[in-house]
Amino acid sequence: MLEIADLHVRYATAEAVRGVSLGAEPGRVTLVLGANGAGKTSTLRAAAGLVPVHAGHVRLEGRDITRRAPHKVVRDGMVLVPEGRRVFAPLTVEENLVLGGYTASRDRSRQVLARVYEMFPILRERRGGPAGLLSGGEQQMLAFGRALMSSPRVILLDEPSMGLAPTMVESVLGAVRDMADAGIAVLLVEQNADMGMEVADSVVAMARGEVVFAGAAAEARSNASVLRAFLGEAALVG
Ligand SMILES: Nc1ncnc2c1ncn2[C@@H]1O[C@H](COP(=O)(O)OP(=O)(O)OP(=O)(O)O)[C@@H](O)[C@H]1O
Ligand SMILES: [Mg+2]
């Protein structure tokens, strides 16, 4: 379980995150919504040790991991899938996956690889081909698969549906739900609020570096007008 408490992130020119508290629980998808510049990415990156935490705490399964080095955070069981997928295009699909399992032994890595292929059969089909030839949606599945190779208990996803065709968005978000149903705690940053809410258990909305709404997804859905007021019209289509 992930617990972010009163987190502050500062860059040279601005305070991007100002006292954010939120969490993620096993088997559940927590959706983080917010307009451009709200501080969503900064929150995820600070939790993963990729940008400095100015103040506040990050706890993973009760242990304080605030300011831990990123590779140690991975070893502790939490992994971030950054925006933009970033697969290694010339390497094969399988080589990309094996890179994600660098923290595990060879045997363990084989076992986890088999599970990732069960979850994403398309990756097994394409395992010998270059990752660069996968479609955008398939590359996102590969980015998920690579993250799963470290056997995370918490996974942080930064806008996985970005730039994908609507049908692909649906299958990517379906995969997000599958990861939670496999028992992982998922923190999902998603621009497509309506589609995100379909797979989410709870919703946190951020504006200008602060949490402005937190509640069950059902409540957020019925409160769409409240969210719209916080996030602006563009955040909710339909
Ligand atoms: N490396 C950086 N240096 C300076 N300022 C930054 C840096 N990264 C982000 N910021 C600023 O911090 C604020 C929050 O940015 P952040 O990327 O966390 O927002 P976001 O909610 O992820 O936005 P988006 O929806 O555009 O991805 C913004 O004002 C942004 O310009
Ligand atoms: Mg962002």
Side-chain angles (χ1 to χ4, degrees):
M1 183 251 235
L2 168 69
E3 205 187 336
I4 293 172
D6 198 21
L7 180 75
H8 290 253
V9 177
R10 270 188 192 169
Y11 300 111
T13 48
E15 190 166 30
V17 178
R18 304 184 295 166
V20 163
S21 298
L22 54 84
E25 285 169 48
R28 294 173 66 87
V29 175
T30 301
L31 172 66
V32 181
L33 297 173
N36 289 340
K40 307 179 298 293
T41 296
S42 300
T43 298
L44 297 196
R45 288 177 56 82
L50 294 163
V51 297
V53 170
H54 178 72
H57 290 278
V58 182
R59 292 186 197 92
L60 187 60
E61 292 163 340
R63 283 173 64 196
D64 194 322
I65 59 157
T66 318
R67 301 187 186 84
R68 263 173 101 70
H71 68 280
K72 289 188 180 159
V73 174
V74 174
R75 228 188 284 141
D76 286 345
M78 181 163 79
V79 63
L80 167 69
V81 180
E83 198 182 315
R85 307 186 250 283
R86 301 192 210 161
V87 303
F88 297 101
L91 299 187
T92 66
V93 166
E94 185 150 307
E95 284 164 346
N96 270 271
L97 289 172
V98 169
L99 281 175
Y102 70 95
T103 55
S105 71
R106 225 190 161 83
D107 280 356
R108 170 90 186 128
S109 186
R110 285 281 131 198
Q111 284 170 17
V112 182
L113 185 64
R115 281 225 301 277
V116 167
Y117 282 149
E118 260 167 52
M119 199 155 186
F120 304 112
I122 186 70
L123 298 182
R124 190 202 302 271
E125 266 171 52
R126 302 293 180 83
R127 65 180 182 274
L133 289 187
L134 298 178
S135 74
E138 290 163 354
Q139 288 190 16
Q140 188 60 57
M141 302 294 184
L142 177 54
F144 289 166
R146 190 174 56 190
L148 292 176
M149 289 296 292
S150 64
S151 301
R153 292 177 301 285
V154 179
I155 189 161
L156 311 174
L157 306 174
D158 199 354
E159 305 213 21
S161 78
M162 174 91 106
L164 299 179
T167 56
M168 271 296 145
V169 172
E170 219 166 284
S171 47
V172 162
L173 291 179
V176 171
R177 187 65 244 175
D178 290 344
M179 291 191 283
D181 291 344
I184 298 171
V186 179
L187 196 59
L188 168 69
V189 169
E190 180 55 56
Q191 286 215 323
N192 192 325
D194 289 319
M195 294 186 83
M197 278 193 269
E198 275 177 36
V199 299
D201 298 291
S202 51
V203 174
V204 174
M206 291 179 62
R208 294 170 300 279
E210 295 178 45
V211 171
V212 293
F213 171 91
E219 191 194 335
R221 273 191 291 267
S222 63
N223 246 316
S225 61
V226 176
L227 283 181
R228 198 173 272 117
F230 285 132
L231 305 174
E233 209 51 46
L236 294 174
V237 243

